[in-house]
């Protein structure tokens, strides 16, 4: 009887510590207001962006029929600064602030700035994923309507052969790997924590994975996190069962290759279906991390954060059989030194 009482006490203490340390925020906590023009995010704020290099060109060009000014012409005539608005939402917990930043082209309707996505086959919850569910994020993710991350943009108008004013049109310089800069416009997510820890982000990545990279940019170095610093477990749209070493699992293990393309060990990165799942990485305190796909859409369901690498989860592990086998999220047996999210004794944990 004494032994049973001791185990129950340990379990209770472990759960209490976990409740104090885990932090969860979900997109379903945001408020969308329905209107005649469509659903609009009411938690969205706007602010003038003073860092982006955008220029507005009002010069009238004499052009051949069907032609428009070249980028060189537009750059040479760009003299008036264009007011640029960032439309931002935030999700906060005790330590973490996640911001979604969108700087759409001028004239974009409010309903098209931030959109909700999600369907039955895109749920990141126990209903859809069963025991493999790492964090319940419901079936809602948020994604910007348009605007890939960029460094500068020129908005211009021109007069066609009929004398009609045409525009706005754009010449843009988009963010690229190795450019050594932070994105100044477009759509991206930024996350910061007051304390060091591990974050698990529920994410959506649009199709064309063979050419669309996934970037987790360290704001302190302005360089993407190395591939081995990012853990990804996910499934493709309409294909919940991914093949991993001959066995069917709902969540397949994905990695980033040298070009930061998301790939699976069996399928590679050659897939044209959207991807849904979890990505995890360690965060230093008071450091901004930027998350985006430079040529495609990325969305988020929310985040789970474990300060200090998840002390509450580690406490649960400590009171269980430490010699029990350890598995990754794909059901593969791994060593006890495996870094990332693992399952032992039927419990999900974060190994650092």
């Amino acid at each position: 009887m004494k032994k049973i009482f001791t185990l129950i006490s340990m379990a209770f203490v472990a759960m209490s510590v976990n409740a104090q340390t885990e932090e969860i925020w979900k997109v379903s906590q945001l408020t969308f207001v329905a209107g005649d023009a469509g659903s609009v995010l009411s938690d969205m704020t706007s602010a003038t962006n003073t860092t982006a290099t955008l220029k507005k060109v009002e010069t009238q060009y004499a052009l051949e029929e069907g032609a428009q000014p070249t980028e060189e012409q537009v750059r040479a005539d760009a003299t008036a600064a264009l007011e640029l608005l960032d439309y931002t939402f935030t999700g906060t917990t005790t330590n973490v602030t996640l911001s979604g930043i969108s700087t759409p082209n001028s004239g974009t309707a409010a309903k098209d700035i931030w959109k909700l996505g999600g369907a039955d086959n895109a749920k990141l919850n126990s209903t859809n994923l069963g025991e493999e569910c790492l964090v319940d994020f419901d079936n809602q993710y948020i994604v910007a309507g348009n605007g890939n991350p960029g460094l500068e943009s020129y908005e211009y108008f021109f007069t066609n052969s009929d004398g009609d004013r045409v525009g706005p049109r754009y010449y843009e310089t988009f963010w690229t790997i190795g450019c050594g800069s932070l994105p100044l416009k477009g759509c991206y997510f930024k996350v910061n924590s007051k304390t060091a820890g591990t974050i698990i982000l529920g994410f959506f990545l649009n199709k064309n994975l063979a050419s669309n990279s996934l970037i987790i940019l360290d704001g302190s170095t302005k360089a993407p996190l190395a591939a081995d610093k990012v853990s990804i477990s996910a499934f493709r749209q309409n294909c919940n069962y991914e093949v991993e070493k001959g066995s069917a699992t709902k969540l397949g293990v994905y990695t980033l290759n040298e070009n930061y393309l998301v790939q699976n060990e069996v399928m590679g990165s050659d897939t044209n279906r959207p991807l849904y799942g979890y990505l995890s990485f360690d965060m230093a305190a008071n450091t901004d991390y930027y998350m985006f796909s430079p040529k495609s859409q990325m969305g988020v369901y929310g985040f789970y954060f474990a300060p200090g690498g998840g002390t509450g989860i580690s406490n649960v592990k400590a009171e269980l059989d430490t010699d029990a086998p350890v598995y990754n999220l794909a059901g593969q047996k791994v060593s006890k030194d495996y870094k990332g999210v693992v399952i032992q004794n039927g419990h999900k944990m974060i190994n650092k």
Side-chain angles (χ1 to χ4, degrees):
M1 180 63 70
K2 183 177 180 181
K3 182 177 182 181
I4 296 176
F5 178 80
T6 302
L7 290 173
I8 293 175
S9 297
M10 287 181 177
F12 177 76
V13 170
M15 286 188 292
S16 297
V17 174
N18 186 65
Q20 292 173 0
T21 58
E22 73 171 14
E23 301 176 20
I24 299 176
W25 178 82
K26 304 178 182 181
V27 162
S28 53
Q29 295 172 220
L30 296 174
T31 303
F32 275 77
V33 178
D36 294 338
S39 297
V40 177
L41 177 61
S42 63
D43 299 315
M44 180 173 63
T45 60
S46 62
T48 300
N49 185 327
T50 58
T51 60
T53 306
L54 264 80
K55 297 294 182 178
K56 185 176 184 178
V57 179
E58 293 286 0
T59 305
Q60 301 295 305
Y61 298 95
L63 302 168
E64 298 293 332
E65 184 175 358
Q68 55 181 301
T70 65
E71 183 174 356
E72 288 72 21
Q73 287 178 300
V74 171
R75 284 176 176 271
D77 292 329
T79 56
L82 172 68
E83 181 182 55
L84 175 67
L85 293 181
D86 284 337
Y87 292 89
T88 304
F89 72 85
T90 57
T92 60
T93 58
T94 302
N95 285 291
V96 180
T97 298
L98 180 142
S99 301
I101 296 94
S102 176
T103 48
N105 294 334
S106 61
T108 301
K111 68 180 180 63
D112 295 323
I113 296 173
W114 289 108
K115 295 183 177 182
L116 280 180
D120 287 341
N121 64 358
K123 290 179 180 178
L124 291 184
N125 58 26
S126 55
T127 300
N128 195 36
L129 299 176
E131 289 297 320
E132 295 186 14
C133 175
L134 186 58
V135 184
D136 273 304
F137 284 132
D138 306 320
N139 68 325
Q140 289 185 333
Y141 61 83
I142 192 168
V143 63
N146 56 44
N148 293 327
L151 302 179
E152 63 178 356
S153 178
Y154 291 80
E155 177 183 292
Y156 64 93
F157 302 83
F158 63 95
T159 304
N160 62 19
S161 59
D162 294 327
D164 298 325
R165 187 171 185 262
V166 180
R169 299 286 176 83
Y170 298 87
Y171 285 120
E172 301 185 74
T173 301
F174 293 106
W175 187 94
T176 57
I177 296 172
C179 68
S181 178
L182 302 176
L184 299 179
K185 64 175 293 291
C187 171
Y188 54 91
F189 300 94
K190 182 173 71 173
V191 63
N192 185 293
S193 175
K194 299 175 185 176
T195 184
T198 300
I199 192 166
I200 300 174
L201 190 84
F203 79 99
F204 152 78
L205 190 63
N206 212 345
K207 55 188 178 180
N208 298 323
L209 300 183
S211 59
N212 297 336
S213 55
L214 174 62
I215 301 297
I216 312 296
L217 192 66
D218 185 329
S220 64
T221 63
K222 299 181 182 179
L225 293 184
D228 62 356
K229 301 298 182 183
V230 180
S231 299
I232 302 173
S233 298
F235 62 87
R236 297 175 300 160
Q237 183 184 49
N238 299 326
C239 187
N240 287 16
Y241 289 85
E242 300 288 25
V243 177
E244 184 67 21
K245 288 192 174 180
S247 62
T249 62
K250 285 187 178 180
L251 285 176
V253 173
Y254 284 78
T255 57
L256 298 178
N257 65 16
E258 65 276 8
N259 297 314
Y260 301 93
L261 299 176
V262 182
Q263 63 181 10
N264 179 271
E265 182 176 324
V266 175
M267 295 175 295
S269 59
D270 186 16
T271 178
N272 198 35
R273 296 179 180 177
L275 199 68
Y276 309 90
Y278 305 97
L279 68 86
S280 177
F281 57 92
D282 290 338
M283 298 176 60
N286 301 310
T287 300
D288 290 334
Y289 294 86
Y290 298 78
M291 303 169 292
F292 53 87
S293 182
K295 296 182 180 180
S296 186
Q297 287 180 305
M298 178 183 179
V300 298
Y301 290 81
F303 64 82
Y304 165 97
F305 181 73
T311 55
I313 298 175
S314 297
N315 282 348
V316 173
K317 178 182 177 182
E319 306 302 341
L320 299 174
D321 180 9
T322 56
D323 293 326
V326 180
Y327 301 90
N328 62 21
L329 289 176
Q332 299 169 305
K333 189 175 180 179
V334 296
S335 72
K336 291 182 172 60
D337 295 328
Y338 182 91
K339 306 300 182 184
V341 180
V342 298
I343 300 172
Q344 186 180 35
N345 294 290
H347 292 270
K348 296 183 180 76
M349 301 167 289
I350 301 174
N351 273 351
K352 292 192 68 179

